[in-house]
Amino acid sequence: MKQKFMNQQTRKIPVSSIVLDEDIYPRKNIDRKRVGIFSENIREGFKFDPVEVEPVPDRPGIYRLLDGAHRWSAYKSTGITEIKVIIKNLDGMDPLLYAAAKAIGPRQLTEDEARNIARRAYTRNIGLSSEEIGKAIGRARRTVDDYISDLRAATLMDRDTKIFRMNCLGIPQDRIAKRLGVKQVSIHNHLSKMAVLPNLINGDLKRGVTIPQVVQKHGWTDPMVWSQALKGKNSHDRFKALGWGLRTWDQWEFNDCDKRFGDDWPGRIPAQLIGHILFYFSRQNDLILDPMAGGGVTPDTCLALNRRCWSFDMMDRHESRPEIEPHTWSLSSDQKLSWPVNSKEKADLVIFDPPYFDKKAGAYDRKSISSLPRKAYLEFLEAFFTLLKSHVKKTTRLAFINADWRDFQGKPAIDETGKDDILIDDYLWILRKTGWRRTHIIQAPMSSERFSAIVVSAMQKKKILGVTSRYVIVLRQS
Ligand SMILES: C[S@@+](CC[C@H](N)C(=O)[O-])C[C@H]1O[C@@H](n2cnc3c(N)ncnc32)[C@H](O)[C@@H]1O
């Protein structure tokens, strides 16, 4: 234990500012008999050692008990209003384990209590070793191993599936290691053993078990199971198997998002749309880059269509989406942006689906580019397209997804001045200026089904012309 590094102070605080936090309380119950004896001792003038507390995170002026629940209860029952306490700074150490180590001083933990603490502590921090937990709860390492073996197996399985998924997406081992907080050598060793990881899944698929059943049984994500089920197939057959109906012309309209790919996310685009971009503008095993990946539709679709994918977003969802690496694109004072990774490898295709100016600004983080004023938003895009050019190949294509942003709020179409609009023309102008030449412009309208009949009728009465047009602009370097 790091006890010797901790600092502490002793002072008097109101009994009412101390709470017993069940999250870090190691015992099953407070022993009422013991409290009764302590209360009598207090009334007879006996002086106890001060209880130990730490400040409750996010509740200024409130302290939670680390040691001395019985003494504290006794003080309360005798009506004492202020007591001397030791305020600890645990310096990152788990307060539950600290409290457990303190609790075993006067009385060993019961078997139930020890098991319960070990499991809670491990769940809170899977990096804890059995030895560390054992020391705190007064049990041998092997006993702790036993207490947490099922949790550890589930954690390791979860970690292995994440490593496997990130590796399928072509994320380099050093980045996987960093993201999952494991040593790079262990990733290397794991990957060599991991070839067998999908065997059970493939066995079930061969026996005719359906994909949703396999997803449920093995806890793999839909895209991961699809990536196994479609192994060896060409892109056309993959498309057919996914049931997406390949569009032959440059108009790609889809009413719904395919729920199997990507998470429920503000501004989520249909996987069928990403699927079409991948089908027409990349080849299997190509490296795809998604700089603002949001709900993860691009990496998921890449798994199903056998493309590698590096994706980034400002929102860090470490647990559920380790494959989306955290990165906030932001202009420095000299109008420069930084590239998120150091790598020789360059993308073959970039799929860029940024917030459409301030549409949905309320749904994204404050640092999102959707919070920028019009001029700054356009300057950001200019800097981004310039930076992109110096980090991709000469042959890399860019698929930029955006829509007209017209400032029509509440105005009939005839009264719109267009003064503050950002139109597709503006984007095309910036793209041309930064050295990108358009090869295709594909209509990919947004669904209008999300508007209620009342809204539609009000718009019609006022002659307001809404926007559902959206475009995929595909470009090469000029
Ligand atoms: C339109 S959404 C992308 C949706 C995604 N294509 C999907 O289907 O789920 C735009 C994303 O850009 C991200 N974003 C906005 N500003 C950003 C910034 N400065 N750096 C990184 N990500 C940013 C937001 O968090 C949001 O997830």
Side-chain angles (χ1 to χ4, degrees), residues 405-421:
W405 186 94
R406 291 203 338 266
D407 189 20
F408 61 78
Q409 295 300 329
K411 260 190 227 121
I414 202 164
D415 294 335
E416 284 180 46
T417 61
K419 193 169 65 68
D420 297 318
D421 292 351

Side-chain angles (χ1 to χ4, degrees), residues 238-467:
R238 285 173 186 255
F239 237 83
K240 258 202 240 154
L242 290 162
W244 281 345
L246 188 56
R247 309 291 195 267
T248 316
W249 317 110
D250 54 359
Q251 188 177 4
W252 303 340
E253 184 159 7
F254 313 99
N255 264 338
D256 279 320
C257 287
D258 185 328
K259 305 238 165 14
R260 298 169 298 179
F261 302 90
D263 310 318
D264 199 3
W265 193 261
R268 175 193 197 170
I269 35 176
Q272 306 89 303
L273 174 51
I274 297 292
H276 277 77
I277 301 176
L278 294 177
F279 182 85
Y280 283 110
F281 298 105
S282 70
R283 297 185 177 86
Q284 291 209 27
N285 208 37
D286 270 359
L287 177 63
I288 315 299
L289 178 89
D290 186 340
M292 296 195 183
V297 176
T298 307
D300 280 359
T301 314
C302 282
L303 284 170
L305 294 184
N306 191 30
R307 268 70 170 170
R308 293 173 298 136
C309 179
W310 294 355
S311 52
F312 301 91
D313 200 278
M314 66 191 309
M315 299 310 292
D316 183 1
R317 292 185 295 146
H318 179 267
E319 252 316 299
S320 58
R321 285 285 183 178
E323 66 271 44
I324 304 180
E325 297 171 73
H327 181 72
T328 302
W329 304 89
S330 80
L331 281 178
S332 59
S333 51
D334 55 350
Q335 299 294 89
K336 291 252 161 54
L337 288 167
S338 64
W339 196 249
V341 287
N342 240 334
S343 162
K344 279 203 193 102
E345 172 129 54
K346 292 178 170 162
D348 299 288
L349 168 70
V350 179
I351 300 182
F352 184 36
D353 177 35
Y356 309 159
F357 187 35
D358 67 1
K359 210 174 150 195
K360 300 205 187 295
Y364 301 130
D365 186 273
R366 263 191 319 116
K367 288 204 192 111
S368 157
I369 58 165
S370 49
S371 304
L372 296 174
R374 181 182 185 280
K375 185 165 170 280
Y377 176 81
L378 295 175
E379 278 166 3
F380 170 86
L381 289 182
E382 184 167 338
F384 180 79
F385 294 137
T386 308
L387 177 82
L388 198 55
K389 258 185 81 174
S390 55
H391 287 274
V392 294
K393 304 175 191 171
K394 275 269 162 274
T395 51
T396 301
R397 293 195 183 249
L398 163 63
F400 173 57
I401 307 168
N402 220 308
D404 275 350
W405 186 94
R406 291 203 338 266
D407 189 20
F408 61 78
Q409 295 300 329
K411 260 190 227 121
I414 202 164
D415 294 335
E416 284 180 46
T417 61
K419 193 169 65 68
D420 297 318
D421 292 351
I422 304 180
L423 304 180
I424 289 297
D425 314 49
D426 298 305
Y427 297 125
L428 286 172
W429 187 77
I430 294 173
L431 283 158
R432 185 172 281 261
K433 191 171 148 197
T434 50
W436 293 93
R437 183 172 56 84
R438 172 173 89 77
T439 57
H440 303 78
I441 183 156
I442 298 141
Q443 297 175 42
M446 295 172 269
S447 163
S448 56
E449 281 176 11
R450 64 209 151 95
F451 294 108
S452 71
I454 301 170
V455 172
V456 171
S457 148
M459 285 170 76
Q460 289 175 348
K461 266 192 206 133
K462 266 192 126 178
K463 298 189 182 168
I464 295 169
L465 186 61
V467 180

